[in-house]
């Protein structure tokens, strides 16, 4: 590597960068067998017109001071010097902390701003607020897996243990007979990994598994959710009907006496109640293959054929993030685990249940048991938090109650939002409402290298 070339890590992979006049030349890491084409987006990062090159203050805040302001998002930004910016930020932090305490400060970040640990914006802003103010109001969970992250610990274990330390692609390529993927296994999703990734191996492992005879089945509205390398099958169902489809499969397994009753009796609770629900003992609704077919848009024969192909084989059932991002989206996550248990597969190499396989580049990888180095974060003295997707509710409805994971909590009254890394306008549900919400705090401080939604 020449002296002008530097190795870097991004969420899309490792690469060498070389400055050539005002632009950057990108060369993917030589050890990556399937580098992401998204790395090419870095070539004009230094000269792009939206790049922020110096501190900027919104005109309304600079001229009139802190306070709610509906001009946010339409106002002009004025450049200031670094000493002036530092003085204004430190002064506002002192004012809010003195008048309202750290429970009036929201430490916002979604954590996708940078790869590595020292330059990880989320860690740095939280460390800063902990050590200077004594704490901040935080967010928990994610937009990607908000329902699953809360549900899975109640029924099987922490999400990270399942997604990051669960069934690996190596196990799949060597052991799986059937991979039943609800929501598919699109390669575009595994191109990215929070914190960076050096090797994209999903494509090659799918090819190895398919060559060995693994049967990949994608249950999804989109054919493109399963790559050609899997040489798989596409079972197109109506969006949002995965839970009914799984109930239909379970009904066939029970009817044909193909469930692993020893496994269910030894390792599970609630199976008799599940059987009673399928038979309609309480409400008279028999949830069989015909019932499921009317809901899912596939034939009862297809459901029966698939169900009868699953027993006595090594079967992995996986559920994509997308399924639990809708109303009642926790149901297919739960039922996929029920299906794996009914087959007696959890714990077997290449079998059982896994969540979000292929959703990120580090899911399905062999887990590094040695912790990465990290900076001490200090102690957050404020035990106030919101689910991450509740940010607009918190800013628009201070003091109101909300329910979360069996608890009734109250939204704090946020006067200052300090944001570093990520962009809520990239993933929030209702952007017009989020814009109104961001007009409520006295002050919004954003660290960002380019103008994005929250910095507009």
């Amino acid at each position: 590597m020449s002296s002008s070339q530097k190795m870097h890590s991004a969420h899309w992979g490792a690469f060498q960068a070389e400055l050539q006049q005002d632009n950057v030349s990108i060369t993917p890491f030589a050890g990556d067998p399937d580098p992401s084409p998204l790395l090419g987006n870095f070539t004009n990062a230094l000269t792009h017109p939206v790049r922020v090159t110096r501190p900027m203050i919104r005109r309304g805040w600079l001229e009139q001071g802190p306070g709610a302001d509906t001009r946010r998002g339409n106002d002009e930004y004025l450049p200031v010097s670094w000493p002036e910016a530092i003085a204004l930020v430190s002064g506002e932090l002192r004012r809010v902390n003195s008048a309202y305490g750290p429970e009036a400060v929201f430490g916002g970040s979604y954590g996708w701003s940078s790869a590595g640990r020292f330059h990880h914006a989320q860690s740095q802003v939280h460390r800063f607020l902990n050590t200077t103010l004594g704490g901040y109001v935080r967010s928990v969970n994610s937009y990607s897996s908000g329902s699953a992250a809360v549900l899975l610990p109640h029924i099987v274990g922490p999400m990270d243990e399942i997604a990051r330390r669960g069934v690996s692609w190596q196990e799949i390529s060597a052991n799986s007979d059937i991979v039943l993927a609800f929501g598919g296994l699109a390669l575009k999703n595994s191109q990215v990994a929070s914190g960076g990734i050096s090797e994209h191996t999903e494509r090659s492992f799918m090819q190895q598994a398919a060559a060995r005879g693994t049967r990949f089945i994608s249950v999804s509205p989109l054919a493109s959710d399963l790559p050609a390398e899997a040489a798989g099958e596409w079972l197109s169902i109506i969006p949002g009907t995965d839970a009914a489809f799984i109930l239909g499969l379970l009904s066939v397994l029970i009817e044909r006496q193909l469930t692993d009753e020893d496994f269910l009796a030894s390792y599970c609770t609630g199976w008799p109640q599940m059987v009673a629900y399928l038979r309609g003992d309480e409400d008279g609704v028999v949830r069989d293959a015909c019932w499921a077919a009317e809901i899912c848009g596939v034939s009862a024969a297809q459901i029966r054929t698939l169900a009868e192909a699953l027993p006595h084989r090594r079967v992995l059932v996986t559920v994509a993030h997308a399924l639990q991002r809708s109303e009642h989206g926790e149901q297919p996550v739960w039922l996929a685990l029920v299906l794996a248990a009914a087959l007696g597969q959890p714990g077997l190499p290449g079998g059982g249940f896994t969540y979000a396989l292929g959703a990120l580049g580090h899911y399905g990888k062999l887990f590094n048991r040695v912790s990465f180095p990290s900076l001490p974060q200090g102690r957050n003295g404020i035990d106030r938090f919101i689910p991450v997707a509740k940010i607009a509710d918190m800013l628009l409805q201070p003091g109101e109650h909300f329910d979360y994971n069996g608890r009734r909590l109250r939204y704090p009254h946020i006067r200052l939002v300090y944001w570093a890394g990520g962009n809520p306008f990239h993933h929030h549900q209702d952007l017009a409402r989020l814009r109104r919400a961001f007009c409520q705090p006295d002050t919004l401080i954003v660290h960002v290298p380019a103008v994005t939604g929250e910095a507009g």
Side-chain angles (χ1 to χ4, degrees):
M1 188 189 308
S2 70
S3 59
S4 62
Q5 291 180 326
K6 303 293 183 183
M7 182 63 75
H8 297 271
S9 180
H11 298 307
W12 304 274
F15 61 95
Q16 291 178 4
E18 183 177 7
L19 183 62
Q20 297 176 340
Q21 294 182 345
D22 289 333
N23 288 323
V24 178
S25 173
I26 300 296
T27 304
F29 173 53
D32 190 342
D34 190 22
S36 171
L38 293 174
L39 290 174
N41 291 338
F42 286 107
T43 55
N44 64 347
L46 296 178
T47 57
H48 198 281
V50 300
R51 184 177 179 225
V52 179
T53 59
R54 59 185 299 185
M56 308 287 283
I57 308 289
R58 188 173 58 81
R59 178 183 289 277
W61 194 97
L62 194 60
E63 294 179 349
Q64 299 179 13
D69 193 340
T70 58
R71 289 174 294 180
R72 283 194 185 124
N74 290 319
D75 208 354
E76 180 184 7
Y77 274 82
L78 304 176
V80 299
S81 67
W82 276 107
E84 185 179 1
I86 292 171
L88 289 171
V89 169
S90 60
E92 180 62 0
L93 285 169
R94 282 194 297 268
R95 181 190 75 84
V96 173
N97 193 41
S98 175
Y100 308 106
E103 61 271 14
V105 176
F106 181 72
S109 174
Y110 201 47
W112 278 91
S113 62
S114 53
R117 298 314 308 163
F118 182 78
H119 294 289
H120 187 246
Q122 185 184 59
S123 300
Q124 290 286 15
V125 72
H126 294 167
R127 167 186 167 93
F128 170 69
L129 295 174
N130 282 339
T131 55
T132 59
L133 301 186
Y136 62 96
V137 177
R138 59 193 170 92
S139 64
V140 297
N141 306 131
S142 71
Y143 285 89
S144 296
S145 55
S147 297
V150 175
L151 171 70
L152 287 172
H154 290 286
I155 60 175
V156 62
M159 196 187 81
D160 270 0
E161 293 292 325
I162 299 163
R164 295 198 186 208
R165 303 190 188 190
V167 181
S168 69
W169 281 109
Q170 285 93 329
E171 290 178 312
I172 293 169
S173 66
N175 300 286
S176 299
D177 295 322
I178 296 175
V179 177
L180 182 57
F182 290 91
L185 296 166
L187 286 175
K188 63 182 176 61
N189 297 329
S190 58
Q191 288 182 12
V192 63
S194 177
I197 186 171
S198 57
E199 296 181 353
H200 295 85
T201 56
E202 290 77 12
R203 190 190 306 271
S204 62
F205 278 124
M206 284 192 202
Q207 290 173 323
Q208 294 173 35
R212 187 183 54 79
T214 300
R215 182 184 175 189
F216 287 91
I217 304 171
S218 174
V219 182
S220 171
L222 299 176
S224 59
D225 278 343
L226 191 67
E229 286 78 3
E233 306 163 34
W234 175 38
L235 188 55
S236 176
I237 67 171
I238 296 172
T241 64
D242 304 83
F245 183 82
I246 298 173
L247 290 172
L249 294 175
L250 288 168
S251 179
V252 175
L253 294 175
I254 294 169
E255 179 186 343
R256 301 286 196 272
Q257 297 183 346
L258 296 173
T259 55
D260 190 330
E261 295 297 323
D262 289 340
F263 181 91
L264 291 164
S266 299
Y267 299 104
C268 305
T269 59
W271 179 244
Q273 291 90 332
M274 184 80 245
V275 173
Y277 176 73
L278 288 164
R279 291 175 175 167
D281 290 354
E282 183 174 334
D283 58 10
V285 178
V286 178
R287 295 166 178 87
D288 57 11
C290 292
W291 170 88
E294 292 184 4
I295 296 172
C296 302
V298 297
S299 69
Q302 287 176 291
I303 296 174
R304 292 191 187 99
T305 299
L306 176 57
E308 291 168 357
L310 299 177
H312 313 303
R313 292 175 174 84
R314 190 60 52 85
V315 179
L316 177 65
V317 184
T318 181
V319 180
H321 277 322
L323 275 66
Q324 51 87 66
R325 289 177 178 156
S326 61
E327 189 174 10
H328 308 302
E330 73 283 353
Q331 296 301 322
V333 178
W334 196 331
L335 285 167
L337 177 60
V338 175
L339 177 60
L343 296 168
Q345 296 288 305
L348 298 176
F353 168 84
T354 190
Y355 174 75
L357 180 70
L360 294 171
H362 49 224
Y363 288 2
K365 294 290 196 296
L366 294 176
F367 192 78
N368 188 349
R369 298 290 178 174
V370 179
S371 298
F372 292 105
S374 61
L375 288 172
Q377 292 289 289
R379 179 181 175 274
N380 190 343
I382 304 302
D383 187 23
R384 300 289 297 276
F385 67 88
I386 59 164
V388 68
K390 289 283 191 180
I391 182 170
D393 296 334
M394 174 187 69
L395 296 176
L396 291 169
Q397 303 164 3
E400 292 194 15
H401 287 95
F402 67 97
D403 295 317
Y404 171 78
N405 201 13
R407 299 173 62 186
R408 169 145 282 208
L409 305 171
R410 189 186 297 271
Y411 293 122
H413 191 158
I414 297 299
R415 310 285 180 161
L416 184 148
V417 174
Y418 203 128
W419 203 283
N423 173 14
F425 284 84
H426 176 68
H427 41 247
H428 196 73
Q429 304 95 326
D430 186 336
L431 297 185
R433 187 168 184 263
L434 184 63
R435 181 188 176 276
R436 295 196 302 273
F438 266 85
C439 291
Q440 304 309 308
D442 292 353
T443 300
L444 172 62
I445 303 170
V446 178
H447 291 204
V448 69
V451 177
T452 54
E454 87 277 26

